[in-house]
């Protein structure tokens, strides 16, 4: 799902108070580590679909030549099935990063402690506010 003019707030049960860069000791970094690397170094470069594609080819270690020569084929195969939106990403759920989609659907991340984050959630920007998905189920039952 792609959003425009939307800000995804950090999850209510996020365990951190500031945006923390995720790290991994695994030889192949998990998706959220790749997402962080791309979005922190190149804000407002990727739409959701473009980000999913870049994360996929990097995680699967698709050679650069194949990324160029087989891009359409890889893209079609990747998007033949559904993918979760960034509300389910570990960045806003666990690592304290809010996710902004501008009017073109391009994405940037902002740490929970940043003035930009405060500006988005206080209504200083004309965006739709969404909460990231919780990591745990609520203990309240109805």
């Amino acid at each position: 799902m792609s959003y425009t003019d939307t800000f995804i707030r950090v999850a209510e049960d996020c365990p951190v108070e500031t945006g923390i860069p995720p790290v991994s000791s695994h030889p192949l970094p998990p998706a959220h580590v790749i997402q962080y690397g791309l979005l922190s170094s190149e804000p407002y470069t990727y739409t959701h679909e473009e980000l999913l594609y870049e994360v996929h080819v990097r995680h699967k270690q698709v050679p650069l030549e194949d990324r160029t020569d087989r891009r359409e084929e890889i893209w079609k195969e990747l998007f033949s099935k559904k993918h979760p939106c960034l509300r389910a990403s570990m960045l806003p759920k666990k690592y304290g990063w809010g996710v902004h989609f501008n009017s073109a659907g391009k994405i940037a991340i902002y740490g929970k402690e940043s003035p930009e984050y405060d500006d988005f959630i206080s209504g200083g920007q004309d965006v739709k506010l969404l909460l990231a998905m919780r990591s745990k189920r609520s203990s309240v039952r109805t």
Side-chain angles (χ1 to χ4, degrees):
M1 165 172 259
S2 275
Y3 295 110
T4 57
D5 296 318
T6 301
F7 189 75
I8 299 173
R9 297 175 62 166
V10 170
E12 292 175 335
D13 63 346
C14 180
V16 299
E17 292 300 317
T18 62
I20 298 173
V23 294
S24 175
S25 60
H26 299 283
L28 288 177
H32 64 276
V33 172
I34 300 169
Q35 287 173 350
Y36 174 80
L38 293 169
L39 295 174
S40 64
S41 65
E42 301 178 81
Y44 299 114
T45 299
Y46 300 100
T47 63
H48 185 235
E49 290 80 12
E50 292 164 344
L51 180 66
L52 287 171
Y53 175 81
E54 281 301 316
V55 169
H56 173 76
V57 296
R58 290 168 192 239
H59 182 71
K60 299 295 185 191
Q61 296 184 317
V62 175
L64 283 174
E65 184 177 316
D66 284 353
R67 292 181 201 181
T68 304
D69 296 346
R70 297 183 48 236
R71 186 178 196 284
E72 191 173 317
E73 175 188 342
I74 295 168
W75 185 282
K76 187 175 179 177
E77 182 180 326
L78 176 65
F79 292 106
S80 67
K81 51 190 168 197
K82 294 187 180 207
H83 297 275
C85 71
L86 286 175
R87 290 182 58 224
S89 169
M90 295 301 283
L91 295 179
K93 287 173 64 171
K94 183 177 177 183
Y95 292 98
W97 296 97
V99 182
H100 178 237
F101 294 80
N102 70 12
S103 61
K106 302 287 184 166
I107 307 165
I109 55 175
Y110 295 94
K112 188 177 175 182
E113 77 289 353
S114 71
E116 294 89 354
Y117 185 96
D118 286 341
D119 194 38
F120 283 116
I121 67 167
S122 68
Q125 302 284 329
D126 187 22
V127 294
K128 179 178 180 179
L129 294 174
L130 300 175
L131 265 174
M133 295 179 180
R134 296 174 57 88
S135 293
K136 300 175 185 154
R137 286 186 164 185
S138 176
S139 60
V140 177
R141 292 189 176 189
T142 57

